[in-house]
Every structure is written in C-alpha cells, then in structure tokens.
Amino acid sequence: MLMLSAADLLIFVIKSRKMKIKNHTVLITGGTSGIGRELARALAKDNRVIVTGRSEQRLTEARKDGLTAWNCDLTVPRQIEALVVKLEQEFPQLDILINNAGIQFNYNLLETPSSYEKINREITTNLTGTIHLTQLLLPLLSTKPSTIINLTSALGTVPKSDGLVYSAGKAGLRNFTAGLRKVLRNKSVRVLEIIPPVTDTRMTAERGENKMPVDELVRIILRQWERGYQLIAPGKVKFLLLLQRSLPGLADRLIG
Ligand SMILES: NC(=O)c1ccc[n+]([C@@H]2O[C@H](COP(=O)([O-])OP(=O)(O)OC[C@H]3O[C@@H](n4cnc5c(N)ncnc54)[C@H](OP(=O)(O)O)[C@@H]3O)[C@@H](O)[C@H]2O)c1
C-alpha cells in the first residue's frame, strides 16, 4: 500500500501558500540550453536573469534573448570563484540560485570501463562544482530572503544500470539538498528540489519517445514553485518515488 510520510503531508500543507516570482535577481547555471534556457526565458519576463554555461555560441544566443550570459565551467574551481566575485560586484541583490547545469554519460561500467577523468567530469559538474558554487554564494544569499533550487533526478533515488555515475552524482545532490535545508533552517533561505521527468532536451536527444516537452515542464515548475512546493516532481516522477518506498524491486525493474 502506498503511504504518505509526514514530510509529504507537510509539503501538502505548505503548497497552499502562493507567491508571484517577480522582481528577483536569478542565477541559472546551464541556463543556455534545455530546461535552464526555458526557465530563463520564462523568468526573464518579470525578473533579472543571469545564465552561465561553457559554449560561447549558446551564451551569445542567450544574450540575444536579452539575458546576462557569462562563461563558467563548473569543473574549474577558479571559474566558479571568479563568477561569485563578479556576482558580488555586479548583482549583490542576487536572491535566487538555480543549480541546473548537468551532464549525463550513458554507458554500462561492465561493458565500457570508464577513465578517472570521465567519472570525475560527470561527478564534478553534477555535484562538486554545484556544491562549491552554492557554499560560496551562501554569504550573499543568506543576508536576505532567498531561494536555492537544485535540479536533481529520479535516478538519484533509483539508479539506472547504464548511468551509474550520473545516478550517484544526483543521489549526492539529493542528499546535499536535504542537508542544506537543515543547515539553513534558521535563515531566510528556502531550499527547493526539482526532479524533472524525462524531458525533451539535448541531454535526452538519443532517448526514444515519451519525453515531456520542455515548455510544459517549465509551466508546471513555475506553477508549483509559486504555490510554495518544496519538492517539484512532475509527471511519473512522483509515482516512481512513491513506488521506490513501497515496492523498491518494481521501481528498479522499471528504470532498468
Ligand atoms: N532532460 C531530462 O530528462 C532531465 C531529467 C532529470 C534531470 N535533469 C537535470 O536537469 C538539468 C538540466 O538538464 P537539460 O536536460 O536541460 O540538459 P541540457 O539541455 O544538456 O543543458 C545542460 C546545461 O548545462 C550546461 N553545462 C554542462 N556542463 C557544464 C559545465 N561543466 N559547467 C557549466 N555548465 C555546464 C550546458 O551548457 P554548456 O554545454 O554550454 O556548458 C547547458 O546549458 C540537469 O541537471 C539534468 O541532470 C534533466
């Protein structure tokens, strides 16, 4: 039987609060493609949005959309540190951090042993770099009412056989998100988690059908964020999380 935990009930109660996302200053890592780009475009209507990424071509396109777009590779600590200094100088009013940048390599460790460099790149982008950026921004964010949003994955709860390193990184990010919420309990910083379903972006270009269109996902994210959800898990994701708690073997078989 599917059981709701106290945390689920609490989230349900919290949902009733409503707020408009307006007049904020938002940083979106990986805001030049896919979910991040769609979020950036939607939020830019009523907020100031800064996006980061590595590809100069994608950064140029973001600037054409009227966004502030800066180069920052999350695998390079000094680039993260330089980004934070620039934000402190040019956007001290920053009050929303969306940790969205991520990469996914699909391979089976038995069939395709990976190099240390490849493992490290995936973990550093999805976890270490994200944690480094977040902790460096805490002094700026915790001086005012702020929001930190982490894009994790259902694979952080139910690992996928041909994506173990990605799954491990996202499990770490899920755990970090929960821990950050504890650490910031007495501060005016809210910590949200978004777990997208399989969504039609560059990351999933080689996946088959049944992908959620990115504009539909972003509409759901904004609606649930404005309603005060702490965990945003649209579509089949919520079902998978509940299944993992009640019938973990079945959840494992579904993910593969
Ligand atoms: N799409 C899905 O089905 C899905 C499902 C669950 C979770 N997610 C998560 O949602 C987030 C967004 O994914 P997406 O599907 O929108 O992917 P995407 O279209 O591939 O976009 C990823 C973004 O991250 C940036 N990025 C990649 N490596 C980076 C690095 N080392 N440093 C800085 N930026 C980097 C990319 O820009 P550059 O390449 O130019 O750096 C790009 O802007 C990710 O965290 C992903 O894990 C996605």
Side-chain angles (χ1 to χ4, degrees), residues 186-253:
N186 297 321
K187 300 275 180 194
S188 55
V189 185
R190 295 194 68 219
V191 181
L192 272 57
E193 179 180 8
I194 298 174
I195 311 183
V198 179
T199 306
D200 195 5
T201 66
R202 251 183 343 128
M203 183 177 277
T204 59
E206 282 161 23
R207 299 279 286 272
E209 294 174 357
N210 292 327
K211 296 184 265 192
M212 183 177 275
V214 71
D215 56 340
E216 184 184 334
L217 173 69
V218 165
R219 267 198 305 277
I220 296 171
I221 289 174
L222 294 179
R223 196 169 56 233
Q224 297 197 357
W225 179 2
E226 287 182 346
R227 286 185 183 161
Y229 282 49
Q230 192 171 256
L231 172 66
I232 299 176
K236 294 174 190 153
V237 174
K238 195 160 279 165
F239 169 73
L240 185 71
L241 295 183
L242 287 168
L243 195 63
Q244 200 277 336
R245 279 190 220 154
S246 47
L247 296 166
L250 184 57
D252 261 336
R253 278 204 296 281

Side-chain angles (χ1 to χ4, degrees), residues 3 22 31 49 54 83 93 100 105 120 130 141 148 166 170 217 250:
M3 298 281 288
K22 205 171 180 178
V49 178
R54 295 164 304 169
L83 168 68
Q93 71 278 35
N100 163 79
F105 300 136
N120 197 35
T130 297
L141 294 170
I148 297 173
Y166 178 81
K170 290 294 183 179
L217 173 69
L250 184 57

Side-chain angles (χ1 to χ4, degrees), residues 30 32-33 35 54-55 58 73-74 100 152 166 170 199 201:
T32 56
S33 168
I35 300 168
R54 295 164 304 169
S55 150
R58 283 192 280 276
D73 184 336
L74 284 177
N100 163 79
T152 69
Y166 178 81
K170 290 294 183 179
T199 306
T201 66

Side-chain angles (χ1 to χ4, degrees), residues 29 35 74 99-105 122-128 130-131 149-160 163-178 193-196 203:
T29 66
I35 300 168
L74 284 177
N99 285 314
N100 163 79
I103 50 168
Q104 181 175 13
F105 300 136
E122 200 169 5
I123 293 285
T124 308
T125 307
N126 294 339
L127 184 63
T128 322
T130 297
I131 294 176
I149 303 179
N150 292 340
L151 275 279
T152 69
S153 165
L155 303 184
T157 299
V158 186
K160 187 171 73 157
L164 284 197
V165 179
Y166 178 81
S167 302
K170 290 294 183 179
L173 190 60
R174 290 213 69 198
N175 198 280
F176 175 70
T177 306
E193 179 180 8
I194 298 174
I195 311 183
M203 183 177 277

